[in-house]
Amino acid sequence: MVSEKLKLIRIEADLTQDKMAEIIGVSKKTLVQVEKGRKTLGFTAAALVAVLFRRGEIMHSLFGDATLDVLDLVATRSNSQAWYRTMGGKVWWTEERREGSYSLQKHVFTGHYRIIDEERYLHYYSLDPAEAEKRLAELTGGLRSEREREGSVDE
């Protein structure tokens, strides 16, 4: 997502391609390739852009006020464990759907989606509703299978 918006981020910051390349530690040639959509930034460069320009409108449109949280989630995420406990989202988040112990929520202003569990731990964060639904299905798939097995034992 950062790669796709890199040119806009650079222009918003009023930086030349040379200066932006220097700041994020890539060659000007690489920067041009990214801006033209021929390459994407690696995680380190994308994370640096996100952190350095997080107060700009372009970055805010991507991640809202959660830029650092999203980076931390991506950097430390494992497939099975959440790492970050939220406040529950009763003010800025609306629940789109609940599956088992997971809640798919949408941010009131930014339109971002996230999945938290009943203890308010964050499991997923995205702008893409289809990806959020897919991740919710992945998270709850094991729960459904377990419930189905338990149900068949009871019968």
Side-chain angles (χ1 to χ4, degrees):
M1 291 168 59
V2 173
S3 292
E4 292 171 6
K5 301 292 185 185
L6 186 60
K7 184 174 183 178
L8 293 174
I9 294 166
R10 179 180 60 78
I11 291 169
E12 181 182 47
D14 196 28
L15 296 171
T16 65
Q17 287 178 325
D18 288 321
K19 189 64 177 170
M20 181 65 132
E22 179 186 331
I23 289 170
I24 63 174
V26 298
S27 69
K28 181 179 176 183
K29 180 180 177 183
T30 298
L31 180 83
V32 169
Q33 295 296 313
V34 171
E35 287 187 355
K36 288 184 176 184
R38 296 182 186 146
K39 280 188 169 186
T40 57
L41 293 172
F43 176 77
T44 304
L48 183 58
V49 170
V51 168
L52 293 176
F53 301 98
R54 70 184 178 274
R55 290 187 175 82
E57 287 182 37
I58 304 301
M59 283 305 303
H60 198 267
S61 73
L62 291 176
F63 303 115
D65 292 328
T67 300
L68 298 178
D69 293 335
V70 171
L71 285 173
D72 202 13
L73 175 65
V74 171
T76 61
R77 180 178 153 199
S78 72
N79 288 332
S80 62
Q81 294 195 357
W83 62 274
Y84 175 79
R85 190 165 190 181
T86 70
M87 295 179 68
K90 295 185 182 197
V91 176
W92 303 112
W93 296 88
T94 58
E95 185 170 83
E96 297 285 301
R97 195 152 66 85
R98 178 169 287 280
E99 281 283 328
S101 62
Y102 296 98
S103 172
L104 173 62
Q105 299 179 333
K106 183 177 181 181
H107 196 275
V108 174
F109 295 116
T110 67
H112 287 81
Y113 293 86
R114 73 177 184 181
I115 299 171
I116 62 172
D117 62 26
E118 59 193 10
E119 294 179 14
R120 302 188 324 258
Y121 281 95
L122 180 66
H123 289 263
Y124 185 76
Y125 194 92
S126 173
L127 263 174
D128 187 338
E131 284 296 317
E133 288 284 346
K134 180 180 173 186
R135 182 68 178 137
L136 182 63
E138 289 171 4
L139 287 167
T140 59
L143 294 175
R144 278 195 209 127
S145 298
E146 188 175 309
R147 274 192 239 130
E148 288 168 2
R149 282 192 301 273
E150 288 173 1
S152 64
V153 170
D154 292 338
E155 292 176 11

